[in-house]
Amino acid sequence: MATKSERDYTFEALNAAREKALHFADYQLESDRYIIFSDVHKGDRETGSDDFQRNEMIYCYALQYYLDRDYRLILNGDIEEGWEADYPAIIEAYESSAFRMEREFAKQGESHYIRIYGNHDLDWADPQKVKEHLVPVLGPIQVYPAAFLGDRIFIAHGHQGDPHSDQGARWSRLA
């Protein structure tokens, strides 16, 4: 029996993400405005586990800027650094800053707050973990493997099929 090639695995993983993606069929290219952030890597403010800390202020200012101008926010994976820090510690570290700003978008509903999981926050693929950790700080949200704007714009984190980030995520996380 032949094993799957990395290419085949990647296409299967992306197709699975596509099938479970959040769809915005009524997306209007001419009028809808989106800001997409990816690989923020919020940690717990500890040295070595928090690539976000030095960017916290600019991130919050940017979110306020886009919120004031009625943009929709897409958080495209690796928003939290789940490989190097525990989620409760991350939330505690940024609840009054970054999470507070993200919550302002989330209050407007799924049309203004779209969250996609990545390999470093892959735990958000589990709705129970989202309910346990994110819902208390952000309100009623869901996290998706991908999103479609209309029928032509596909947004995914991009870890799907990667040998270290997807196929071997459990072992990469330990390393």
Side-chain angles (χ1 to χ4, degrees):
M1 176 182 223
T3 60
K4 282 188 224 176
S5 71
E6 184 177 330
R7 180 177 187 268
D8 290 340
Y9 186 88
T10 299
F11 279 111
E12 285 180 17
L14 284 169
N15 190 52
R18 184 184 63 78
E19 289 175 6
K20 294 178 182 175
L22 175 63
H23 288 260
F24 288 99
D26 60 346
Y27 168 73
Q28 300 297 314
L29 180 63
E30 302 79 24
S31 59
D32 292 346
R33 298 186 299 181
Y34 289 83
I35 180 65
I36 302 173
F37 283 103
S38 181
D39 295 276
V40 172
H41 291 275
K42 285 182 283 201
D44 58 7
R45 295 194 188 274
E46 296 294 323
T47 305
S49 69
D50 196 341
D51 295 333
F52 175 73
Q53 190 171 6
R54 66 177 180 234
N55 298 310
E56 175 183 10
M57 190 179 331
I58 192 69
Y59 180 78
C60 291
Y61 281 124
L63 288 181
Q64 186 65 57
Y65 175 89
Y66 292 114
L67 182 67
D68 290 345
R69 286 153 183 82
D70 196 33
Y71 277 71
R72 297 152 192 239
L73 177 62
I74 298 176
L75 296 177
N76 190 24
D78 291 0
I79 304 306
E80 286 78 38
E81 179 46 74
W83 285 15
E84 298 179 17
D86 293 328
Y87 293 114
I90 296 168
I91 291 166
E92 182 180 335
Y94 295 108
E95 185 171 5
S96 65
S97 60
F99 283 105
R100 181 180 58 81
M101 291 304 307
E102 292 170 17
R103 185 170 50 246
E104 293 303 313
F105 285 92
K107 283 180 186 177
Q108 297 179 60
E110 201 165 60
S111 66
H112 279 74
Y113 184 82
I114 299 103
R115 198 177 247 258
I116 297 167
Y117 56 80
N119 51 312
H120 284 247
D121 54 11
L122 190 60
D123 290 317
W124 303 147
D126 179 347
Q128 200 54 38
K129 289 183 180 180
V130 170
K131 184 177 180 180
E132 178 184 348
H133 297 290
L134 289 179
V135 169
V137 72
L138 294 171
I141 65 158
Q142 292 185 321
V143 183
Y144 296 90
F148 266 106
L149 302 181
D151 59 355
R152 302 185 80 189
I153 300 173
F154 178 68
I155 302 166
H157 181 67
H159 64 281
Q160 293 86 351
D162 178 77
H164 300 292
S165 296
D166 186 21
Q167 298 174 40
R170 168 183 272 157
W171 306 116
S172 294
R173 184 176 186 170
L174 290 173

